[in-house]
Every structure is written in structure tokens, then in C-alpha cells.
Amino acid sequence: MEIDFLVTVLLSSLSSAAILLIAAMGLAVVFGLMGVINLAHSEFLMMGAYAALTITKAGVPYLLSIPIAVAITMAIGAVVEILIISRLYGRLFDTMLATWGLSMVLLQLAVLLFGTATPSINLPQFNISIGDYQLAGYPLILIGVAVIMLILIYLLMTKTTYGMQARASIQEPEMAQAIGIESSRVNTFTFALGCGLAGFAGAVLLPIIPATPSMGMAFAVKSFLAVVVAGPVALTGTALTAIGLGGGASITASLLTSVAGEVFFFIITAVLLWRYPMGISAKWRRKL
């Protein structure tokens, strides 16, 4: 095989893994850290995309629209946590039903507001040449975005007062309240953070994936499986599974067919869950 082809396949697989990691990071926070299954995750991703699209079309630079979209989805996530999720902690099945219902409401609301068309922000696209091969430049930028995103979230959760309070509120809520931590407020922010990360994913993926009401469904299943396979070490475990599953599926698709890539993803996921039912990180010493 030509070295140019191998480099092209490697970079393409890394960009696919980065996209999966960006899409899954919100779930890693909400499900991996809080134990809440948010079946409306894909709709928060969709809301982030539509928010960035609407703001950009209003004349705001695209890069500035991204933090605004994150703020909007975080605000909506905080409202959802206060009105719905906070009443259902410890009731996993009820939480799933509630967020499933919320996802249908948000999906239909998006259809009513925006229709089913696929508008785009028409950002200038560029390609990178590697010998006789070319790769779209923006997906490669997302590799760096994913790395920075992972580092910042890891530092937030491990090196800040909020991070320690968040983990205490989730792991030992009664003890956290006894030492003065306002668990309800911390949990609200943590859930909002997860929703904001989903909104961030929708906003940064907008240049390569047009906004549609169902756009998040393309990532929801794979993101959820990546987080489940990762296990209790939510952040570093999800990063590893995103690279292994997303990157491996991309390599398989490049060498064979896109269908083979999808088959690879789900077969390897099934094998890992059979081999490690509690996740691949169940016996790791690292806790985040």
C-alpha cells in the first residue's frame, strides 16, 4: 500500500473518532457521571446546530455563534433538570420515559419551527492534499477541537472546586449536603453542562452536517454505545472507545465499504459489552 493512502486513512479515521467523541462528551457527563440516561441528547445536539445556524444567518460570525449556542442549550438543559430530572433521580426507567417524551416534543417543535429542509451556513471549504489524495480540511480541525474539549472538561472535573463538588454530589449526596454543598444547584449545572456540550457538538458539526430536526439521531446511538462501553471512567474511557470504535469503523469503511464499517462498529461493541458488561474501565484505578 502507498504511504500516502495509509496517511489519508489514518487522518480520516482520527477525524471520525474526533466527531464521535465530540458528540458523545455530553452523554459522558450526564450518563457517565450522573447516571442519568438522557434520551433527548440528540435533540440538544440538534438545538445547538439550529441555534448556531439562526445566529449566523442573523449576521453574527460563525465562531461567535458557537458559545451563544452553548449558552442557549445550557439554559434549556437547566430548566429541564429543575422541572423534570430533579424529581426523578434514582428512578432510571422513569427518567428514560421522561427524556424520551421530551425528545419527541423537541423534535416536533423543530419541525414546526424550521421545517424539514437542510439549510447550510455555506462556510468556505478547503482541502488538504496528501500525494494523490485529498481530505476535507474542516474534519481534520475537529481532531484538535476534540482534544482541547476533552482536556478542558477533564481539568474542570478534576482541578476545580466545582468538579469536586459535582462528583461528591453524585457519589455521596447526603454527605455532600452535610458539609454544605448545595447538591441540587450543582446537579443542575452538571446536567446543563452535558446539554451545553451536546449543543456545542451540534454547532461545531454544522459546517459538515446540515441542520435537520433528526440530525442528532445519526450520533445518538453510537454516542450512547461508546459511553456504555467506556464504563464508569466516563471521560478517559469515552475517549478510548471513541478512538477504537469510531476510528476502527472508519478504517474498515475505507478499506472495504461503509456498510462493513457500520458492521464493525456494532459487532465490536457487542463483543466488548459481552466481555466487559460493566464497561472496559470497570477495573481501572482512574476515576474520571
Side-chain angles (χ1 to χ4, degrees):
M1 273 186 199
E2 299 178 2
I3 187 66
D4 294 344
F5 177 73
L6 292 177
V7 173
T8 302
V9 170
L10 177 61
L11 290 176
S12 178
S13 64
L14 285 176
S15 65
S16 297
I19 291 172
L20 178 59
L21 179 59
I22 291 171
M25 195 55 64
L27 272 179
V29 171
V30 173
F31 176 63
L33 296 180
M34 300 183 70
V36 173
I37 298 179
N38 180 17
L39 295 183
H41 176 77
S42 59
E43 280 64 43
F44 279 98
L45 189 150
M46 172 266 295
M47 283 193 289
Y50 272 118
L53 175 67
T54 303
I55 294 166
T56 301
K57 287 187 175 296
V60 177
Y62 169 65
L63 290 179
L64 184 58
S65 74
I66 295 176
I68 298 176
V70 171
I72 292 173
T73 50
M74 285 188 69
I76 296 173
V79 172
V80 170
E81 197 280 338
I82 292 171
L83 296 180
I84 301 175
I85 304 300
S86 63
R87 308 170 189 274
L88 300 175
Y89 285 122
R91 297 159 57 186
L92 187 61
F93 185 70
D94 293 344
T95 304
M96 292 173 61
L97 284 178
T99 54
W100 177 58
L102 176 64
S103 72
M104 291 192 294
V105 170
L106 294 175
L107 179 63
Q108 293 305 314
L109 184 61
V111 172
L112 291 175
L113 291 177
F114 302 103
T116 57
T118 57
S120 174
I121 56 175
N122 297 319
L123 281 181
Q125 299 296 323
F126 64 97
N127 295 326
I128 294 177
S129 297
I130 303 175
D132 296 330
Y133 303 93
Q134 285 193 337
L135 285 174
Y138 189 79
L140 298 181
I141 293 176
L142 294 180
I143 298 174
V145 172
V147 171
I148 294 172
M149 181 183 183
L150 179 64
I151 292 173
L152 290 178
I153 297 172
Y154 184 84
L155 293 176
L156 176 66
M157 289 297 178
T158 58
K159 303 298 182 181
T160 66
T161 301
Y162 156 73
M164 291 184 287
Q165 291 179 345
R167 285 179 287 145
S169 298
I170 294 163
Q171 296 171 5
E172 298 290 343
E174 295 181 358
M175 182 66 70
Q177 291 180 357
I179 62 176
I181 297 175
E182 296 186 41
S183 297
S184 59
R185 182 176 299 179
V186 172
N187 288 339
T188 297
F189 182 81
T190 304
F191 186 84
L193 175 63
C195 295
L197 291 173
F200 174 80
V204 299
L205 294 176
L206 186 59
I208 57 176
I209 302 174
T212 63
S214 59
M215 66 174 292
M217 293 302 297
F219 303 99
V221 174
K222 287 186 176 181
S223 298
F224 182 73
L225 289 175
V227 173
V228 171
V229 171
V233 183
L235 298 184
T236 50
T238 300
L240 182 61
T241 55
I243 294 172
L245 296 175
S250 178
I251 292 175
T252 304
S254 298
L255 298 178
L256 299 174
T257 65
S258 58
V259 174
E262 296 295 314
V263 171
F264 171 90
F265 184 96
F266 290 107
I267 287 180
I268 298 301
T269 297
V271 170
L272 289 174
L273 288 176
W274 171 72
R275 182 66 180 83
Y276 304 100
M278 300 303 294
I280 62 172
S281 64
K283 296 183 179 180
W284 291 6
R285 292 183 179 180
R286 186 181 297 274
K287 297 302 180 185
L288 194 63

